[in-house]
mmCIF file with all atom_site columns, all heavy atoms in Angstrom:
data_model
loop_
_atom_site.group_PDB
_atom_site.id
_atom_site.type_symbol
_atom_site.label_atom_id
_atom_site.label_alt_id
_atom_site.label_comp_id
_atom_site.label_asym_id
_atom_site.label_entity_id
_atom_site.label_seq_id
_atom_site.pdbx_PDB_ins_code
_atom_site.Cartn_x
_atom_site.Cartn_y
_atom_site.Cartn_z
_atom_site.occupancy
_atom_site.B_iso_or_equiv
_atom_site.pdbx_formal_charge
_atom_site.auth_seq_id
_atom_site.auth_comp_id
_atom_site.auth_asym_id
_atom_site.auth_atom_id
_atom_site.pdbx_PDB_model_num
ATOM 1   N N   . GLU A 1 729 ? -10.651 53.904 3.795  1.00 72.00 ? 729 GLU A N   1
ATOM 2   C CA  . GLU A 1 729 ? -9.769  53.683 4.908  1.00 72.00 ? 729 GLU A CA  1
ATOM 3   C C   . GLU A 1 729 ? -10.069 52.398 5.586  1.00 72.00 ? 729 GLU A C   1
ATOM 4   O O   . GLU A 1 729 ? -9.114  51.594 6.066  1.00 72.00 ? 729 GLU A O   1
ATOM 5   C CB  . GLU A 1 729 ? -9.856  54.902 5.624  1.00 72.00 ? 729 GLU A CB  1
ATOM 6   C CG  . GLU A 1 729 ? -9.249  56.234 5.157  1.00 72.00 ? 729 GLU A CG  1
ATOM 7   C CD  . GLU A 1 729 ? -10.328 56.845 4.324  1.00 72.00 ? 729 GLU A CD  1
ATOM 8   O OE1 . GLU A 1 729 ? -11.516 56.380 4.297  1.00 72.00 ? 729 GLU A OE1 1
ATOM 9   O OE2 . GLU A 1 729 ? -10.061 57.932 3.742  1.00 72.00 ? 729 GLU A OE2 1
ATOM 10  N N   . GLY A 1 730 ? -11.445 52.241 5.780  1.00 76.00 ? 730 GLY A N   1
ATOM 11  C CA  . GLY A 1 730 ? -11.738 51.011 6.642  1.00 76.00 ? 730 GLY A CA  1
ATOM 12  C C   . GLY A 1 730 ? -11.354 49.740 5.850  1.00 76.00 ? 730 GLY A C   1
ATOM 13  O O   . GLY A 1 730 ? -10.875 48.728 6.399  1.00 76.00 ? 730 GLY A O   1
ATOM 14  N N   . ASP A 1 731 ? -11.558 49.661 4.572  1.00 79.00 ? 731 ASP A N   1
ATOM 15  C CA  . ASP A 1 731 ? -11.153 48.498 3.692  1.00 79.00 ? 731 ASP A CA  1
ATOM 16  C C   . ASP A 1 731 ? -9.664  48.374 3.731  1.00 79.00 ? 731 ASP A C   1
ATOM 17  O O   . ASP A 1 731 ? -9.199  47.149 3.718  1.00 79.00 ? 731 ASP A O   1
ATOM 18  C CB  . ASP A 1 731 ? -11.754 48.760 2.198  1.00 79.00 ? 731 ASP A CB  1
ATOM 19  C CG  . ASP A 1 731 ? -13.267 48.762 2.182  1.00 79.00 ? 731 ASP A CG  1
ATOM 20  O OD1 . ASP A 1 731 ? -13.893 48.221 3.151  1.00 79.00 ? 731 ASP A OD1 1
ATOM 21  O OD2 . ASP A 1 731 ? -13.815 49.296 1.163  1.00 79.00 ? 731 ASP A OD2 1
ATOM 22  N N   . ALA A 1 732 ? -8.982  49.502 3.763  1.00 81.00 ? 732 ALA A N   1
ATOM 23  C CA  . ALA A 1 732 ? -7.498  49.367 3.687  1.00 81.00 ? 732 ALA A CA  1
ATOM 24  C C   . ALA A 1 732 ? -7.109  48.787 5.084  1.00 81.00 ? 732 ALA A C   1
ATOM 25  O O   . ALA A 1 732 ? -6.180  47.882 5.087  1.00 81.00 ? 732 ALA A O   1
ATOM 26  C CB  . ALA A 1 732 ? -6.794  50.669 3.542  1.00 81.00 ? 732 ALA A CB  1
ATOM 27  N N   . ALA A 1 733 ? -7.692  49.112 6.182  1.00 82.00 ? 733 ALA A N   1
ATOM 28  C CA  . ALA A 1 733 ? -7.351  48.569 7.490  1.00 82.00 ? 733 ALA A CA  1
ATOM 29  C C   . ALA A 1 733 ? -7.538  47.058 7.540  1.00 82.00 ? 733 ALA A C   1
ATOM 30  O O   . ALA A 1 733 ? -6.793  46.309 7.937  1.00 82.00 ? 733 ALA A O   1
ATOM 31  C CB  . ALA A 1 733 ? -8.087  49.389 8.536  1.00 82.00 ? 733 ALA A CB  1
ATOM 32  N N   . ARG A 1 734 ? -8.688  46.779 7.022  1.00 83.00 ? 734 ARG A N   1
ATOM 33  C CA  . ARG A 1 734 ? -9.011  45.189 7.037  1.00 83.00 ? 734 ARG A CA  1
ATOM 34  C C   . ARG A 1 734 ? -8.116  44.495 6.091  1.00 83.00 ? 734 ARG A C   1
ATOM 35  O O   . ARG A 1 734 ? -7.732  43.356 6.391  1.00 83.00 ? 734 ARG A O   1
ATOM 36  C CB  . ARG A 1 734 ? -10.497 44.988 6.448  1.00 83.00 ? 734 ARG A CB  1
ATOM 37  C CG  . ARG A 1 734 ? -11.572 45.480 7.529  1.00 83.00 ? 734 ARG A CG  1
ATOM 38  C CD  . ARG A 1 734 ? -12.915 45.267 6.909  1.00 83.00 ? 734 ARG A CD  1
ATOM 39  N NE  . ARG A 1 734 ? -13.946 45.300 8.017  1.00 83.00 ? 734 ARG A NE  1
ATOM 40  C CZ  . ARG A 1 734 ? -14.371 46.536 8.574  1.00 83.00 ? 734 ARG A CZ  1
ATOM 41  N NH1 . ARG A 1 734 ? -13.953 47.662 8.109  1.00 83.00 ? 734 ARG A NH1 1
ATOM 42  N NH2 . ARG A 1 734 ? -15.265 46.515 9.563  1.00 83.00 ? 734 ARG A NH2 1
ATOM 43  N N   . GLY A 1 735 ? -7.781  45.049 4.799  1.00 85.00 ? 735 GLY A N   1
ATOM 44  C CA  . GLY A 1 735 ? -6.739  44.228 3.987  1.00 85.00 ? 735 GLY A CA  1
ATOM 45  C C   . GLY A 1 735 ? -5.346  44.163 4.753  1.00 85.00 ? 735 GLY A C   1
ATOM 46  O O   . GLY A 1 735 ? -4.791  43.165 4.653  1.00 85.00 ? 735 GLY A O   1
ATOM 47  N N   . ALA A 1 736 ? -5.053  45.168 5.589  1.00 86.00 ? 736 ALA A N   1
ATOM 48  C CA  . ALA A 1 736 ? -3.645  45.038 6.189  1.00 86.00 ? 736 ALA A CA  1
ATOM 49  C C   . ALA A 1 736 ? -3.746  43.991 7.287  1.00 86.00 ? 736 ALA A C   1
ATOM 50  O O   . ALA A 1 736 ? -2.861  43.219 7.373  1.00 86.00 ? 736 ALA A O   1
ATOM 51  C CB  . ALA A 1 736 ? -3.282  46.416 6.830  1.00 86.00 ? 736 ALA A CB  1
ATOM 52  N N   . LEU A 1 737 ? -4.910  43.998 8.060  1.00 87.00 ? 737 LEU A N   1
ATOM 53  C CA  . LEU A 1 737 ? -5.024  42.950 9.098  1.00 87.00 ? 737 LEU A CA  1
ATOM 54  C C   . LEU A 1 737 ? -5.132  41.526 8.503  1.00 87.00 ? 737 LEU A C   1
ATOM 55  O O   . LEU A 1 737 ? -4.702  40.577 9.018  1.00 87.00 ? 737 LEU A O   1
ATOM 56  C CB  . LEU A 1 737 ? -6.302  43.261 9.956  1.00 87.00 ? 737 LEU A CB  1
ATOM 57  C CG  . LEU A 1 737 ? -6.265  44.540 10.702 1.00 87.00 ? 737 LEU A CG  1
ATOM 58  C CD1 . LEU A 1 737 ? -7.532  44.660 11.583 1.00 87.00 ? 737 LEU A CD1 1
ATOM 59  C CD2 . LEU A 1 737 ? -5.025  44.608 11.576 1.00 87.00 ? 737 LEU A CD2 1
ATOM 60  N N   . ASP A 1 738 ? -5.722  41.404 7.244  1.00 86.00 ? 738 ASP A N   1
ATOM 61  C CA  . ASP A 1 738 ? -5.696  40.123 6.614  1.00 86.00 ? 738 ASP A CA  1
ATOM 62  C C   . ASP A 1 738 ? -4.250  39.591 6.278  1.00 86.00 ? 738 ASP A C   1
ATOM 63  O O   . ASP A 1 738 ? -3.950  38.518 6.547  1.00 86.00 ? 738 ASP A O   1
ATOM 64  C CB  . ASP A 1 738 ? -6.557  40.192 5.209  1.00 86.00 ? 738 ASP A CB  1
ATOM 65  C CG  . ASP A 1 738 ? -8.062  40.280 5.555  1.00 86.00 ? 738 ASP A CG  1
ATOM 66  O OD1 . ASP A 1 738 ? -8.439  39.905 6.750  1.00 86.00 ? 738 ASP A OD1 1
ATOM 67  O OD2 . ASP A 1 738 ? -8.752  40.678 4.740  1.00 86.00 ? 738 ASP A OD2 1
ATOM 68  N N   . ARG A 1 739 ? -3.458  40.573 5.825  1.00 89.00 ? 739 ARG A N   1
ATOM 69  C CA  . ARG A 1 739 ? -1.970  40.249 5.532  1.00 89.00 ? 739 ARG A CA  1
ATOM 70  C C   . ARG A 1 739 ? -1.387  39.942 6.823  1.00 89.00 ? 739 ARG A C   1
ATOM 71  O O   . ARG A 1 739 ? -0.507  39.014 6.908  1.00 89.00 ? 739 ARG A O   1
ATOM 72  C CB  . ARG A 1 739 ? -1.351  41.442 4.785  1.00 89.00 ? 739 ARG A CB  1
ATOM 73  C CG  . ARG A 1 739 ? -1.845  41.656 3.396  1.00 89.00 ? 739 ARG A CG  1
ATOM 74  C CD  . ARG A 1 739 ? -0.894  42.651 2.604  1.00 89.00 ? 739 ARG A CD  1
ATOM 75  N NE  . ARG A 1 739 ? -0.735  43.856 3.350  1.00 89.00 ? 739 ARG A NE  1
ATOM 76  C CZ  . ARG A 1 739 ? -1.605  44.976 3.151  1.00 89.00 ? 739 ARG A CZ  1
ATOM 77  N NH1 . ARG A 1 739 ? -2.560  44.818 2.328  1.00 89.00 ? 739 ARG A NH1 1
ATOM 78  N NH2 . ARG A 1 739 ? -1.323  46.105 3.772  1.00 89.00 ? 739 ARG A NH2 1
ATOM 79  N N   . ALA A 1 740 ? -1.617  40.621 7.888  1.00 89.00 ? 740 ALA A N   1
ATOM 80  C CA  . ALA A 1 740 ? -1.045  40.352 9.179  1.00 89.00 ? 740 ALA A CA  1
ATOM 81  C C   . ALA A 1 740 ? -1.457  38.954 9.667  1.00 89.00 ? 740 ALA A C   1
ATOM 82  O O   . ALA A 1 740 ? -0.592  38.143 10.224 1.00 89.00 ? 740 ALA A O   1
ATOM 83  C CB  . ALA A 1 740 ? -1.378  41.391 10.199 1.00 89.00 ? 740 ALA A CB  1
ATOM 84  N N   . GLY A 1 741 ? -2.692  38.525 9.468  1.00 89.00 ? 741 GLY A N   1
ATOM 85  C CA  . GLY A 1 741 ? -3.203  37.188 9.909  1.00 89.00 ? 741 GLY A CA  1
ATOM 86  C C   . GLY A 1 741 ? -2.497  36.093 9.060  1.00 89.00 ? 741 GLY A C   1
ATOM 87  O O   . GLY A 1 741 ? -2.010  35.120 9.711  1.00 89.00 ? 741 GLY A O   1
ATOM 88  N N   . ARG A 1 742 ? -2.259  36.384 7.706  1.00 90.00 ? 742 ARG A N   1
ATOM 89  C CA  . ARG A 1 742 ? -1.627  35.237 7.017  1.00 90.00 ? 742 ARG A CA  1
ATOM 90  C C   . ARG A 1 742 ? -0.157  35.254 7.375  1.00 90.00 ? 742 ARG A C   1
ATOM 91  O O   . ARG A 1 742 ? 0.371   34.016 7.539  1.00 90.00 ? 742 ARG A O   1
ATOM 92  C CB  . ARG A 1 742 ? -1.705  35.612 5.549  1.00 90.00 ? 742 ARG A CB  1
ATOM 93  C CG  . ARG A 1 742 ? -2.991  35.465 4.980  1.00 90.00 ? 742 ARG A CG  1
ATOM 94  C CD  . ARG A 1 742 ? -3.011  35.428 3.482  1.00 90.00 ? 742 ARG A CD  1
ATOM 95  N NE  . ARG A 1 742 ? -2.599  36.777 2.922  1.00 90.00 ? 742 ARG A NE  1
ATOM 96  C CZ  . ARG A 1 742 ? -3.420  37.763 2.641  1.00 90.00 ? 742 ARG A CZ  1
ATOM 97  N NH1 . ARG A 1 742 ? -4.726  37.731 2.841  1.00 90.00 ? 742 ARG A NH1 1
ATOM 98  N NH2 . ARG A 1 742 ? -2.927  38.947 2.056  1.00 90.00 ? 742 ARG A NH2 1
ATOM 99  N N   . ALA A 1 743 ? 0.511   36.311 7.878  1.00 89.00 ? 743 ALA A N   1
ATOM 100 C CA  . ALA A 1 743 ? 1.915   36.246 8.206  1.00 89.00 ? 743 ALA A CA  1
ATOM 101 C C   . ALA A 1 743 ? 2.070   35.525 9.518  1.00 89.00 ? 743 ALA A C   1
ATOM 102 O O   . ALA A 1 743 ? 2.931   34.756 9.858  1.00 89.00 ? 743 ALA A O   1
ATOM 103 C CB  . ALA A 1 743 ? 2.565   37.647 8.363  1.00 89.00 ? 743 ALA A CB  1
ATOM 104 N N   . MET A 1 744 ? 0.988   35.691 10.531 1.00 91.00 ? 744 MET A N   1
ATOM 105 C CA  . MET A 1 744 ? 0.949   34.961 11.783 1.00 91.00 ? 744 MET A CA  1
ATOM 106 C C   . MET A 1 744 ? 0.729   33.524 11.504 1.00 91.00 ? 744 MET A C   1
ATOM 107 O O   . MET A 1 744 ? 1.415   32.769 12.214 1.00 91.00 ? 744 MET A O   1
ATOM 108 C CB  . MET A 1 744 ? -0.153  35.542 12.587 1.00 91.00 ? 744 MET A CB  1
ATOM 109 C CG  . MET A 1 744 ? 0.126   37.031 13.097 1.00 91.00 ? 744 MET A CG  1
ATOM 110 S SD  . MET A 1 744 ? -1.228  37.520 14.302 1.00 91.00 ? 744 MET A SD  1
ATOM 111 C CE  . MET A 1 744 ? -0.741  39.156 14.651 1.00 91.00 ? 744 MET A CE  1
ATOM 112 N N   . ASP A 1 745 ? 0.011   33.123 10.614 1.00 90.00 ? 745 ASP A N   1
ATOM 113 C CA  . ASP A 1 745 ? -0.267  31.724 10.359 1.00 90.00 ? 745 ASP A CA  1
ATOM 114 C C   . ASP A 1 745 ? 1.075   31.022 9.806  1.00 90.00 ? 745 ASP A C   1
ATOM 115 O O   . ASP A 1 745 ? 1.500   29.950 10.304 1.00 90.00 ? 745 ASP A O   1
ATOM 116 C CB  . ASP A 1 745 ? -1.431  31.459 9.243  1.00 90.00 ? 745 ASP A CB  1
ATOM 117 C CG  . ASP A 1 745 ? -2.735  31.819 9.735  1.00 90.00 ? 745 ASP A CG  1
ATOM 118 O OD1 . ASP A 1 745 ? -2.882  31.875 10.999 1.00 90.00 ? 745 ASP A OD1 1
ATOM 119 O OD2 . ASP A 1 745 ? -3.573  32.316 9.024  1.00 90.00 ? 745 ASP A OD2 1
ATOM 120 N N   . ASN A 1 746 ? 1.833   31.836 9.026  1.00 90.00 ? 746 ASN A N   1
ATOM 121 C CA  . ASN A 1 746 ? 3.081   31.234 8.528  1.00 90.00 ? 746 ASN A CA  1
ATOM 122 C C   . ASN A 1 746 ? 4.091   31.204 9.662  1.00 90.00 ? 746 ASN A C   1
ATOM 123 O O   . ASN A 1 746 ? 4.877   30.240 9.707  1.00 90.00 ? 746 ASN A O   1
ATOM 124 C CB  . ASN A 1 746 ? 3.651   32.124 7.302  1.00 90.00 ? 746 ASN A CB  1
ATOM 125 C CG  . ASN A 1 746 ? 2.696   32.085 6.098  1.00 90.00 ? 746 ASN A CG  1
ATOM 126 O OD1 . ASN A 1 746 ? 1.973   31.188 5.894  1.00 90.00 ? 746 ASN A OD1 1
ATOM 127 N ND2 . ASN A 1 746 ? 2.726   33.051 5.340  1.00 90.00 ? 746 ASN A ND2 1
ATOM 128 N N   . ALA A 1 747 ? 4.087   32.174 10.434 1.00 89.00 ? 747 ALA A N   1
ATOM 129 C CA  . ALA A 1 747 ? 4.932   32.188 11.635 1.00 89.00 ? 747 ALA A CA  1
ATOM 130 C C   . ALA A 1 747 ? 4.668   30.985 12.597 1.00 89.00 ? 747 ALA A C   1
ATOM 131 O O   . ALA A 1 747 ? 5.634   30.479 13.054 1.00 89.00 ? 747 ALA A O   1
ATOM 132 C CB  . ALA A 1 747 ? 4.874   33.545 12.431 1.00 89.00 ? 747 ALA A CB  1
ATOM 133 N N   . GLU A 1 748 ? 3.479   30.747 12.799 1.00 88.00 ? 748 GLU A N   1
ATOM 134 C CA  . GLU A 1 748 ? 3.071   29.692 13.568 1.00 88.00 ? 748 GLU A CA  1
ATOM 135 C C   . GLU A 1 748 ? 3.694   28.362 13.018 1.00 88.00 ? 748 GLU A C   1
ATOM 136 O O   . GLU A 1 748 ? 4.163   27.516 13.807 1.00 88.00 ? 748 GLU A O   1
ATOM 137 C CB  . GLU A 1 748 ? 1.540   29.524 13.773 1.00 88.00 ? 748 GLU A CB  1
ATOM 138 C CG  . GLU A 1 748 ? 1.128   28.399 14.640 1.00 88.00 ? 748 GLU A CG  1
ATOM 139 C CD  . GLU A 1 748 ? -0.327  28.174 14.532 1.00 88.00 ? 748 GLU A CD  1
ATOM 140 O OE1 . GLU A 1 748 ? -1.073  29.000 13.984 1.00 88.00 ? 748 GLU A OE1 1
ATOM 141 O OE2 . GLU A 1 748 ? -0.776  27.128 15.016 1.00 88.00 ? 748 GLU A OE2 1
ATOM 142 N N   . GLU A 1 749 ? 3.322   28.160 11.829 1.00 88.00 ? 749 GLU A N   1
ATOM 143 C CA  . GLU A 1 749 ? 3.811   26.962 11.256 1.00 88.00 ? 749 GLU A CA  1
ATOM 144 C C   . GLU A 1 749 ? 5.413   26.900 11.314 1.00 88.00 ? 749 GLU A C   1
ATOM 145 O O   . GLU A 1 749 ? 5.923   25.656 11.497 1.00 88.00 ? 749 GLU A O   1
ATOM 146 C CB  . GLU A 1 749 ? 3.420   26.945 9.600  1.00 88.00 ? 749 GLU A CB  1
ATOM 147 C CG  . GLU A 1 749 ? 3.768   25.674 8.844  1.00 88.00 ? 749 GLU A CG  1
ATOM 148 C CD  . GLU A 1 749 ? 3.207   25.699 7.506  1.00 88.00 ? 749 GLU A CD  1
ATOM 149 O OE1 . GLU A 1 749 ? 2.647   26.679 7.099  1.00 88.00 ? 749 GLU A OE1 1
ATOM 150 O OE2 . GLU A 1 749 ? 3.569   24.655 6.650  1.00 88.00 ? 749 GLU A OE2 1
ATOM 151 N N   . ALA A 1 750 ? 6.130   27.933 11.038 1.00 87.00 ? 750 ALA A N   1
ATOM 152 C CA  . ALA A 1 750 ? 7.590   27.860 11.073 1.00 87.00 ? 750 ALA A CA  1
ATOM 153 C C   . ALA A 1 750 ? 8.013   27.648 12.508 1.00 87.00 ? 750 ALA A C   1
ATOM 154 O O   . ALA A 1 750 ? 9.003   26.891 12.637 1.00 87.00 ? 750 ALA A O   1
ATOM 155 C CB  . ALA A 1 750 ? 8.144   29.178 10.528 1.00 87.00 ? 750 ALA A CB  1
ATOM 156 N N   . LEU A 1 751 ? 7.353   28.096 13.531 1.00 88.00 ? 751 LEU A N   1
ATOM 157 C CA  . LEU A 1 751 ? 7.724   27.760 14.890 1.00 88.00 ? 751 LEU A CA  1
ATOM 158 C C   . LEU A 1 751 ? 7.507   26.447 15.284 1.00 88.00 ? 751 LEU A C   1
ATOM 159 O O   . LEU A 1 751 ? 8.254   25.749 16.009 1.00 88.00 ? 751 LEU A O   1
ATOM 160 C CB  . LEU A 1 751 ? 6.906   28.694 15.886 1.00 88.00 ? 751 LEU A CB  1
ATOM 161 C CG  . LEU A 1 751 ? 7.149   30.170 15.942 1.00 88.00 ? 751 LEU A CG  1
ATOM 162 C CD1 . LEU A 1 751 ? 6.146   30.980 16.712 1.00 88.00 ? 751 LEU A CD1 1
ATOM 163 C CD2 . LEU A 1 751 ? 8.579   30.387 16.478 1.00 88.00 ? 751 LEU A CD2 1
ATOM 164 N N   . ARG A 1 752 ? 6.372   25.715 14.726 1.00 88.00 ? 752 ARG A N   1
ATOM 165 C CA  . ARG A 1 752 ? 6.194   24.316 15.016 1.00 88.00 ? 752 ARG A CA  1
ATOM 166 C C   . ARG A 1 752 ? 7.246   23.398 14.304 1.00 88.00 ? 752 ARG A C   1
ATOM 167 O O   . ARG A 1 752 ? 7.408   22.320 14.756 1.00 88.00 ? 752 ARG A O   1
ATOM 168 C CB  . ARG A 1 752 ? 4.765   24.023 14.591 1.00 88.00 ? 752 ARG A CB  1
ATOM 169 C CG  . ARG A 1 752 ? 3.632   24.687 15.391 1.00 88.00 ? 752 ARG A CG  1
ATOM 170 C CD  . ARG A 1 752 ? 2.383   24.065 15.203 1.00 88.00 ? 752 ARG A CD  1
ATOM 171 N NE  . ARG A 1 752 ? 1.308   24.900 15.828 1.00 88.00 ? 752 ARG A NE  1
ATOM 172 C CZ  . ARG A 1 752 ? 1.043   24.759 17.143 1.00 88.00 ? 752 ARG A CZ  1
ATOM 173 N NH1 . ARG A 1 752 ? 1.721   23.951 17.820 1.00 88.00 ? 752 ARG A NH1 1
ATOM 174 N NH2 . ARG A 1 752 ? 0.075   25.540 17.702 1.00 88.00 ? 752 ARG A NH2 1
#
Side-chain angles (χ1 to χ4, degrees):
E729 293 81 2
D731 294 340
R734 285 178 169 81
L737 294 186
D738 288 340
R739 294 194 300 273
R742 290 193 295 270
M744 288 182 180
D745 292 335
N746 296 334
E748 177 196 349
E749 183 179 357
L751 287 172
R752 297 193 185 279

